[in-house]
Amino acid sequence: MTLTLSDLATALGAELRGPDRPVTGVEPLETAGPDSLSLCLERRHVGGLAACRAAGVLLPRALLGLAGDAPCALLVVEDGRLALARALGLLHPAARPEPGLAPGALVDAGARLGPGTRVEPGARVEAGAELGPGCWVQAGAVIGAGAVLGAGCRIGPRAVVDGCCRLGARVRVGAGAVLGGEGFGLARDGARWLRIPQVGRVVLEDDVELGPLCNVDRATLGETRIGAGSQLDAMVHVGHNARVGRGVCIAAQCGLAGSVVIEDGAALGGQVGVADHVTIGAGAQVGAKSGVGSRVPAGARVAGYPAWPVQHWLGSLRALRRLVPRRRGALTREEP
Amino acid sequence: MTLTLSDLATALGAELRGPDRPVTGVEPLETAGPDSLSLCLERRHVGGLAACRAAGVLLPRALLGLAGDAPCALLVVEDGRLALARALGLLHPAARPEPGLAPGALVDAGARLGPGTRVEPGARVEAGAELGPGCWVQAGAVIGAGAVLGAGCRIGPRAVVDGCCRLGARVRVGAGAVLGGEGFGLARDGARWLRIPQVGRVVLEDDVELGPLCNVDRATLGETRIGAGSQLDAMVHVGHNARVGRGVCIAAQCGLAGSVVIEDGAALGGQVGVADHVTIGAGAQVGAKSGVGSRVPAGARVAGYPAWPVQHWLGSLRALRRLVPRRRGALTREEP
Amino acid sequence: MTLTLSDLATALGAELRGPDRPVTGVEPLETAGPDSLSLCLERRHVGGLAACRAAGVLLPRALLGLAGDAPCALLVVEDGRLALARALGLLHPAARPEPGLAPGALVDAGARLGPGTRVEPGARVEAGAELGPGCWVQAGAVIGAGAVLGAGCRIGPRAVVDGCCRLGARVRVGAGAVLGGEGFGLARDGARWLRIPQVGRVVLEDDVELGPLCNVDRATLGETRIGAGSQLDAMVHVGHNARVGRGVCIAAQCGLAGSVVIEDGAALGGQVGVADHVTIGAGAQVGAKSGVGSRVPAGARVAGYPAWPVQHWLGSLRALRRLVPRRRGALTREEP
């Protein structure tokens, strides 16, 4: 895709400073050539501007004072990350497959596929599955009997969407992810464990995006739900009957136990664990690797194992360090 | 499936209090309609009974005193969870596929399949694999050359069972799980790592159940074994030569390093890690997110990183809090 | 494969003490029979030598003094693990498939396959993919459009290699692993999250080995790179734009956030998390389950959450224990 810097400036609401030239893609500052758009979103990268060979560079207005005389055009924007996201979308539009069933697609005659839907080789769509218009089922994915997918969903290679799943529009599921597996509910039957049959659903609202190898368990009864626009990174586990709100952001390898509630706009760092039936309030932020064992109020910032308010956690680390016999030299430089 | 409340009372050993009516499924208290069985297993749900529209409700005898005049029939049981598990099994019987090879099943002529076994489209069964009667290999699963599965095993969509695996009867493997991958054994060969070839087996005894995206590595020599009736949640990693006993319960995202031993009836919370060659004694309980670096005695309750006795761990948290300068107000409410 | 102990002694540079006999495989000390080679690599196993029925036993010279009169031949070696790795390679050579496309392989006419390459049933190779000579694409794996694989790569069952991936020679990818998924980059667009399109690559250099169910995200721009000979265990997550050096060793369930740098020869224990943009220096060692939030110097040994020098971490644990009211008896024996 080729666009001029002025086209981009218009599309991004940016101010173009310097010569208007065509660009065909986005490249990092060090490797960008004269056909490329590049970016300088952080103070620590400003030094690299002087040697930049790109046609133009995205620069947040906040850094303009530091930029000096750049050898290339500048696209001055208010929000660098947002401008980058949009520029990438324009210059590197997502691949769109040719509609229809590829040879080797395994689609049951009893499945209903919307117009413009594509099913790749080795992908399986079972009887009674309903796919909206413009869905893309990638190589080797499985859509179970009775699953319902809204318009424009993209199911990654080897992903599994069980028949108990209801997906809204534009849901994206990463490669190898599993939706609708049996939740982990056990009952004691004398000496042995009896698995409680899981007969509930998984509901993903519009614009939910899941990374590769995520797992979302079906509910025991009722539903496990992820709200509109929520973003999950790779390898996130969502237990049965969990309820994730809208616009929630969950980093890689987090685990939500059964019946956890994550309210709208909360954000979890990587490898966080949340104990069953615990609620994390709207807009709360949970530090990476925290273990959350009790309710987190809306808007709170917590960290630690178990998680408590960030400033208390930091205070406890300082206190611990005071208890450790001091040594001079290199090692102290590594302390948290 | 339709059953009367009196049928269920008989099957569950429950006492029916109220009118006998037919039910077709189990629904949560809030959404249950007149054709449904519902449940009230915890004190905090008793308040919902008054507005319940279900035909009948499962109620533990221990809560009977609090139930008051429920507007529906009550099925009074001793163990609520066990009754729920059984009622779900009766009203929502697990799907049974039509035996045989589906179109698109990729079964080698050299594989032996027991009577009543079903292989779904895109599933691969390699030469020399032996499947007992009534197995169900779901869409896109792979059974490797030489693997042996007992009667009634269910291998989830996209799961991989390597040829080195020996499964007992009624083993269930979740979607996307991997059994028999190479263990992680390295030898130093001058400047480079040499991977130690892994030539052992994986043995899963009868009634073992693994959640989605679990990984069980084959042994270097000998076997990696999971004992009868043990239950693993999603995304659990079991390292090479680990030995998990019978009736063990392991929550999501736990990791067992090489040669770990988990004795019968032990239980691990989510995201627990166990260091290599460590033994966790029979019936021991390990708190979620603990890091177990040394032997845990039978029956012990441990938590923390590193794990130590729960009451000592809690004592250390209290001690830490005393070291942190107090503040008044909201934040203190969040403390663990 | 049958070899004599003297053949093995020559191949391993070992000293054979005792009668030369043929062996057909390697078995553990307890179960080895007269046709087997066995091993005694650790002091705690020496006691088992007396009852050993194997033809011969690999024994490190350092343990020779303890071995006494073993009832079997000894192959005395300098490095036991290295000798084991080589002996296993000789007696249990890795399976080599018959070259060509198996029936049920889904290879696009526009893919280029080197001589001797094997594609198993249900595996998909998309147009424009380039596979070097002697590659093995196992059942149900997916190689995306434009992917490039060097000579002798082995892609495990159900693994996914996106078109953005460039693999060197002899790269091994475990079952169910995903390479080239979208990195987790978000921009705020008013009330909603906008996913930043990820258009970079994944580069795995020669001899990289990844365990089952690993995930390596593609870069936003530029590349995510893993250096030659690095070894990743199962379920490791590598975020976008991370750079892992050569000869790095990463245990199961570790997570590297975006733009992390792991320098040559560093080693991470299981379940470690590394925060975004953090560098771990060459040869550094990170204890299992650590949370690394800031730079780790070359050669340092760190542990804890957050990670700090091992001796300080241990000191903090001792200090904490002093703060906990003592009790007599069994429990104290469990302390870390």
Side-chain angles (χ1 to χ4, degrees):
Chain A
M1 174 72 72
T2 300
L3 292 169
T4 64
L5 293 175
S6 53
D7 296 334
L8 282 164
T10 308
L12 305 177
E15 173 195 354
L16 173 59
R17 298 191 174 196
D20 186 16
R21 277 156 55 187
V23 291
T24 59
V26 185
E27 292 289 339
L29 214 47
E30 319 76 60
T31 60
D35 301 336
S36 301
L37 176 69
S38 191
L39 60 154
C40 176
L41 305 190
E42 322 221 358
R43 180 177 293 268
R44 68 178 185 280
H45 296 146
V46 172
L49 268 178
C52 177
R53 300 175 50 251
V57 171
L58 288 173
L59 187 78
R61 188 170 299 283
L63 299 181
L64 192 52
L66 309 167
D69 297 347
C72 56
L74 298 176
L75 284 172
V76 183
V77 297
E78 304 312 316
D79 180 335
R81 285 179 72 81
L82 182 56
L84 172 62
R86 290 179 171 156
L88 282 165
L90 293 165
L91 287 163
H92 302 269
R96 294 300 316 153
E98 183 184 312
L101 307 190
L106 303 163
V107 179
D108 189 280
R112 271 174 292 173
L113 273 52
T117 280
R118 167 76 172 186
V119 182
E120 299 289 353
R124 168 62 173 164
V125 183
E126 298 184 342
E130 258 187 75
L131 282 63
C135 288
W136 188 4
V137 181
Q138 298 189 279
V142 176
I143 313 293
V148 178
L149 280 64
C153 290
R154 177 173 171 173
I155 310 302
R158 302 291 171 220
V160 174
V161 179
D162 182 86
C164 70
C165 298
R166 307 286 174 266
L167 276 53
R170 298 171 304 278
V171 169
R172 295 184 60 162
V173 177
V178 176
L179 308 183
E182 302 232 338
F184 194 62
L186 302 176
R188 198 80 200 163
D189 183 9
R192 56 191 274 271
W193 291 111
L194 193 64
R195 202 123 176 173
I196 299 175
Q198 306 284 306
V199 303
R201 283 176 302 284
V202 166
V203 179
L204 304 186
E205 299 179 357
D206 296 346
D207 301 301
V208 166
E209 305 199 18
L210 306 181
L213 297 170
C214 284
N215 179 67
V216 182
D217 284 341
R218 70 191 300 176
T220 309
L221 304 171
E223 61 189 37
T224 302
R225 177 176 288 262
I226 300 181
S230 287
Q231 301 282 336
L232 276 61
D233 196 353
M235 293 183 176
V236 172
H237 167 67
V238 179
H240 54 171
N241 295 88
R243 303 182 67 84
V244 175
R246 300 168 158 241
V248 168
C249 175
I250 302 181
Q253 296 180 315
C254 285
L256 312 183
S259 303
V260 159
V261 175
I262 311 287
E263 294 179 347
D264 298 351
L268 279 59
Q271 295 186 335
V272 166
V274 185
D276 57 291
H277 291 89
V278 165
T279 292
I280 293 181
Q285 295 183 33
V286 181
K289 220 175 177 71
S290 301
V292 183
S294 57
R295 182 170 168 288
V296 175
R301 295 180 56 235
V302 302
Y305 164 59
W308 54 335
V310 166
Q311 63 271 53
H312 288 197
W313 181 60
L314 295 174
S316 70
L317 297 176
R318 283 188 297 267
L320 256 185
R321 279 203 297 280
R322 284 192 298 269
L323 297 177
V324 178
R326 286 353 270 113
R327 284 201 206 62
R328 294 269 163 276
L331 287 173
T332 60
R333 283 194 286 95
E334 292 162 45
E335 292 180 6
Chain B
M1 176 71 72
T2 300
L3 293 170
T4 65
L5 294 175
S6 51
D7 296 335
L8 284 165
T10 308
L12 305 177
E15 174 196 353
L16 173 58
R17 297 190 175 196
D20 186 16
R21 277 157 52 189
V23 292
T24 59
V26 185
E27 292 288 340
L29 214 47
E30 318 77 60
T31 61
D35 302 336
S36 300
L37 176 69
S38 191
L39 60 154
C40 176
L41 304 190
E42 321 221 359
R43 182 177 291 269
R44 68 179 185 280
H45 295 145
V46 172
L49 269 179
C52 178
R53 300 175 48 253
V57 170
L58 289 173
L59 187 77
R61 189 169 299 282
L63 298 181
L64 192 50
L66 309 167
D69 297 347
C72 56
L74 299 177
L75 284 172
V76 183
V77 296
E78 303 312 317
D79 179 335
R81 287 178 71 80
L82 181 56
L84 171 62
R86 289 178 172 158
L88 282 165
L90 293 165
L91 287 164
H92 303 269
R96 293 302 313 154
E98 182 184 314
L101 308 190
L106 303 162
V107 178
D108 189 280
R112 271 173 292 173
L113 273 52
T117 279
R118 167 76 172 185
V119 182
E120 300 289 353
R124 168 63 172 163
V125 182
E126 298 184 342
E130 256 186 77
L131 282 63
C135 289
W136 187 5
V137 182
Q138 298 189 280
V142 176
I143 313 294
V148 177
L149 281 64
C153 290
R154 177 171 171 174
I155 309 303
R158 302 293 171 219
V160 174
V161 178
D162 182 86
C164 70
C165 297
R166 307 286 174 265
L167 276 53
R170 300 170 303 278
V171 169
R172 295 185 60 161
V173 178
V178 176
L179 307 183
E182 302 230 339
F184 193 63
L186 302 176
R188 199 78 201 165
D189 183 10
R192 58 190 274 270
W193 290 113
L194 193 63
R195 202 124 176 171
I196 298 175
Q198 305 285 306
V199 303
R201 284 176 301 285
V202 166
V203 179
L204 305 187
E205 299 179 356
D206 296 347
D207 301 301
V208 166
E209 306 199 16
L210 306 180
L213 297 170
C214 284
N215 179 67
V216 181
D217 285 340
R218 68 195 302 176
T220 309
L221 303 171
E223 60 189 37
T224 303
R225 178 177 287 263
I226 300 182
S230 286
Q231 300 282 335
L232 276 61
D233 196 354
M235 293 183 176
V236 172
H237 167 66
V238 179
H240 54 171
N241 294 88
R243 302 182 69 84
V244 175
R246 300 167 159 242
V248 168
C249 175
I250 302 181
Q253 296 180 317
C254 286
L256 311 184
S259 302
V260 159
V261 175
I262 312 287
E263 294 179 347
D264 297 353
L268 279 59
Q271 295 186 335
V272 166
V274 185
D276 57 292
H277 292 87
V278 165
T279 292
I280 293 181
Q285 296 184 31
V286 181
K289 221 175 175 71
S290 301
V292 183
S294 57
R295 181 171 168 287
V296 175
R301 296 181 56 235
V302 302
Y305 165 58
W308 55 335
V310 166
Q311 62 271 52
H312 289 196
W313 181 60
L314 294 174
S316 70
L317 297 176
R318 283 188 296 269
L320 256 185
R321 280 205 295 281
R322 285 192 298 270
L323 297 176
V324 178
R326 277 7 260 110
R327 284 202 207 60
R328 295 269 163 274
L331 287 173
T332 59
R333 283 194 284 98
E334 291 163 46
E335 292 179 7
Chain C
M1 176 70 73
T2 300
L3 293 170
T4 64
L5 293 175
S6 52
D7 295 335
L8 283 164
T10 309
L12 305 177
E15 173 196 353
L16 173 58
R17 298 190 173 194
D20 186 17
R21 276 157 52 190
V23 292
T24 59
V26 185
E27 291 289 339
L29 214 46
E30 318 76 61
T31 61
D35 302 336
S36 300
L37 176 69
S38 191
L39 61 154
C40 176
L41 304 189
E42 322 221 357
R43 182 178 293 268
R44 69 179 183 279
H45 296 145
V46 172
L49 269 179
C52 177
R53 300 175 48 252
V57 170
L58 288 172
L59 186 78
R61 189 170 299 282
L63 299 181
L64 193 50
L66 309 167
D69 297 346
C72 56
L74 298 177
L75 284 172
V76 183
V77 297
E78 304 311 317
D79 180 334
R81 287 179 71 82
L82 181 55
L84 172 62
R86 289 179 171 157
L88 282 165
L90 293 165
L91 287 164
H92 302 269
R96 293 302 314 155
E98 181 185 312
L101 308 190
L106 303 163
V107 178
D108 190 280
R112 270 174 293 173
L113 273 52
T117 279
R118 167 76 172 185
V119 182
E120 299 289 353
R124 167 63 173 162
V125 183
E126 298 184 341
E130 255 186 77
L131 282 63
C135 288
W136 187 5
V137 182
Q138 298 188 279
V142 176
I143 312 293
V148 178
L149 280 63
C153 289
R154 177 172 172 174
I155 310 302
R158 303 290 171 221
V160 174
V161 179
D162 182 86
C164 70
C165 298
R166 307 287 175 265
L167 276 53
R170 299 170 304 278
V171 169
R172 296 184 60 162
V173 178
V178 175
L179 308 182
E182 302 230 338
F184 194 62
L186 302 176
R188 198 79 201 164
D189 183 10
R192 59 190 272 270
W193 290 112
L194 192 64
R195 201 123 177 173
I196 298 175
Q198 306 285 305
V199 303
R201 283 177 303 285
V202 166
V203 179
L204 304 187
E205 299 179 357
D206 296 347
D207 302 300
V208 166
E209 305 199 18
L210 306 180
L213 297 170
C214 284
N215 179 66
V216 181
D217 284 341
R218 70 193 299 177
T220 309
L221 304 171
E223 61 189 35
T224 303
R225 177 177 288 263
I226 300 181
S230 286
Q231 300 281 337
L232 276 61
D233 195 353
M235 293 184 176
V236 173
H237 166 68
V238 179
H240 54 172
N241 294 88
R243 302 182 69 84
V244 175
R246 299 166 159 243
V248 168
C249 175
I250 302 182
Q253 296 180 316
C254 286
L256 311 183
S259 302
V260 160
V261 175
I262 312 288
E263 295 179 347
D264 297 353
L268 279 60
Q271 296 186 335
V272 166
V274 185
D276 56 292
H277 291 88
V278 166
T279 292
I280 293 180
Q285 295 184 33
V286 181
K289 221 175 176 71
S290 301
V292 183
S294 57
R295 182 171 167 287
V296 175
R301 295 180 56 235
V302 301
Y305 164 58
W308 55 336
V310 167
Q311 63 271 51
H312 288 198
W313 181 60
L314 295 174
S316 70
L317 297 176
R318 282 188 297 268
L320 256 185
R321 280 204 295 281
R322 285 192 298 270
L323 298 177
V324 177
R326 279 3 261 110
R327 283 201 208 61
R328 295 269 163 275
L331 287 172
T332 60
R333 282 195 284 97
E334 292 164 44
E335 292 181 5

